[in-house]
Amino acid sequence: MIEIRKVTTKKQQKEFLQFPLKLYKDNPYFVPPLYGDEKQIFSENYMYYDQAEAVYFNAYKDGVMVGRISGILQKAANAKWGQSRARFTRFDAIDNQEVAAALFRAVEDWAQSKNADEIVGPLGFSDLEREGLLIEGFDQLATFEEQYNYDYYQRLIENCGYVKDVDWLERKVRIPRGGVDERIERISREMMDKYNLRFVQSKSTGDFLKKYVDQIFHIWDETYDKIYGTVPFTDKVKRAMLNNFKLVIDLRFIAAIVDENDRIVAFGVVFPSMAKAVQKSGGRLTPACLTRLLADIKKPSIVDMALIGVLDEYKNKGIATALVSEFSNRMTKYGIDYAETNLMLEHNSPIQNLWKHFDTTQHKRRRCFIKKIR
């Protein structure tokens, strides 16, 4: 018999957080989130609880935990998109349809009690969280920013009545040892000259952030405003992001383009991969994990391409190509083997077309599912 319990006690919270660590123990592709960050979802002051509410469920079979799921009512997203949706996230389970059905039934009942008419997921509180179910690329190391899952998850979810809503693609970008193609370099230079643009030069990461961080958040909001599932940044989220990424933000891997008035018109950020550093510690920032992490930051062999933002007035002018070209040259300089993109919507033609100029392989696909519940 399957028993579903709403997470209310400290013990149940701990079980919720630790279940995927046990389910994926010794899996070479699974990368856990930072345990301390993930633990914040059970804090009443969590950065998203001023715009959303959530519920958490554990599943037990014969007294042993066999699955978990969370439901989210993202009020800011519903207001922005004119929807009445709930989201499911943090679904993990053994390969058992009865377990999956009980978990989804619990989150669907909760969503109906909140007057939602459909459920989508996996989606977190915002697109800054892990999202999408891996449906291709099970033999690839996950990035730190995205979740790995077993291949049977798709079957479990679809058997509960969920169908495709959108897909995201991910790419592996190989770094040319001889540098970027001269034609791309020339086109990028000509574009920069035509619009009187230049790359920012800063003395330090702190100096860069102090001067430009507000502009970056503005461009970020503008660039991703119409992207699936996004919500506006709150001041609390901005502060939390800066605190969380202080350790891994490196001026070598931040590129920003400004106009003649020193106004940022485009930026890009890549992070040294944290995946292997946190695997061995189960996501805990132990002294050994910090040592590995600092070594990877100092001399990374893999980087994660976190995001690219471009002001609307400069879109379709080749600026994104100039940013990727700049990053490619820097990665060549620092001896990086390859870069991993994160999620890109399959129907986002501008970003998908960008990669035809570079040596890339589409190696992962993720899916967001939807189900009507009214």
Side-chain angles (χ1 to χ4, degrees), residues 314-332:
Y314 282 92
K315 286 181 178 175
N316 302 316
K317 289 181 168 62
I319 287 186
T321 301
L323 283 169
V324 176
S325 176
E326 173 70 11
F327 278 130
S328 294
N329 283 329
R330 294 188 191 184
M331 290 179 227
T332 299

Side-chain angles (χ1 to χ4, degrees), residues 47-59:
M47 61 182 175
Y48 290 111
Y49 287 154
D50 57 354
Q51 60 179 198
E53 57 183 290
V55 68
Y56 305 90
F57 296 105
N58 291 341

Side-chain angles (χ1 to χ4, degrees), residues 2-14:
I2 308 303
E3 181 185 3
I4 302 298
R5 299 177 193 165
K6 184 178 177 181
V7 174
T8 57
T9 68
K10 293 291 186 182
K11 179 184 177 184
Q12 291 168 341
Q13 291 174 4
K14 187 176 181 180

Side-chain angles (χ1 to χ4, degrees), residues 100-232:
L103 284 166
F104 277 99
R105 189 160 51 247
V107 86
E108 288 163 14
D109 289 346
W110 175 82
Q112 287 183 325
S113 75
K114 299 297 180 180
N115 297 315
D117 54 27
E118 57 190 6
I119 297 185
V120 295
L123 281 180
F125 291 92
S126 79
D127 60 320
L128 298 176
E129 288 204 314
R130 297 178 171 197
E131 57 188 355
L133 188 84
L134 187 69
I135 62 171
E136 295 176 10
F138 299 103
D139 60 348
Q140 300 291 319
L141 178 69
T143 62
F144 172 75
E145 295 83 5
E146 300 303 337
Q147 181 68 18
Y148 181 84
N149 57 263
Y150 289 124
D151 58 358
Y152 63 78
Y153 279 34
Q154 182 178 358
R155 168 171 43 82
L156 296 180
I157 292 172
E158 289 177 344
N159 285 345
C160 289
Y162 289 79
V163 297
K164 173 184 174 180
D165 197 19
V166 297
D167 275 9
W168 294 274
L169 306 180
E170 296 174 66
R171 290 183 175 273
K172 182 176 287 188
V173 185
R174 284 170 288 277
I175 309 304
R177 286 292 168 253
V180 177
D181 186 286
E182 174 55 32
R183 183 178 63 86
I184 298 175
E185 292 267 35
R186 176 177 51 78
I187 292 172
S188 296
R189 285 196 302 270
E190 290 174 353
M191 178 276 299
M192 298 279 282
D193 290 342
K194 179 179 179 180
Y195 297 107
N196 198 20
L197 305 174
R198 61 180 174 82
F199 280 97
V200 169
Q201 300 293 325
S202 294
K203 296 178 182 179
S204 66
T205 303
D207 181 65
F208 173 85
L209 291 175
K210 182 178 180 180
K211 187 173 183 179
Y212 295 113
V213 70
D214 288 336
Q215 292 186 53
I216 285 175
F217 276 118
H218 169 71
I219 297 174
W220 195 341
D221 257 338
E222 183 175 293
T223 301
Y224 294 91
D225 180 54
K226 299 297 189 292
I227 298 296
Y228 180 89
T230 55
V231 295

Side-chain angles (χ1 to χ4, degrees), residues 7 13 16-17 35-49 54-56 68 70 72 89-90 125 129:
V7 174
Q13 291 174 4
F16 186 94
L17 296 172
Y35 192 85
D37 289 347
E38 191 71 351
K39 192 177 179 181
Q40 291 300 307
I41 62 175
F42 294 116
S43 168
E44 62 181 19
N45 296 318
Y46 187 48
M47 61 182 175
Y48 290 111
Y49 287 154
V55 68
Y56 305 90
R68 68 171 195 167
S70 172
I72 296 173
T89 184
R90 293 171 172 85
F125 291 92
E129 288 204 314

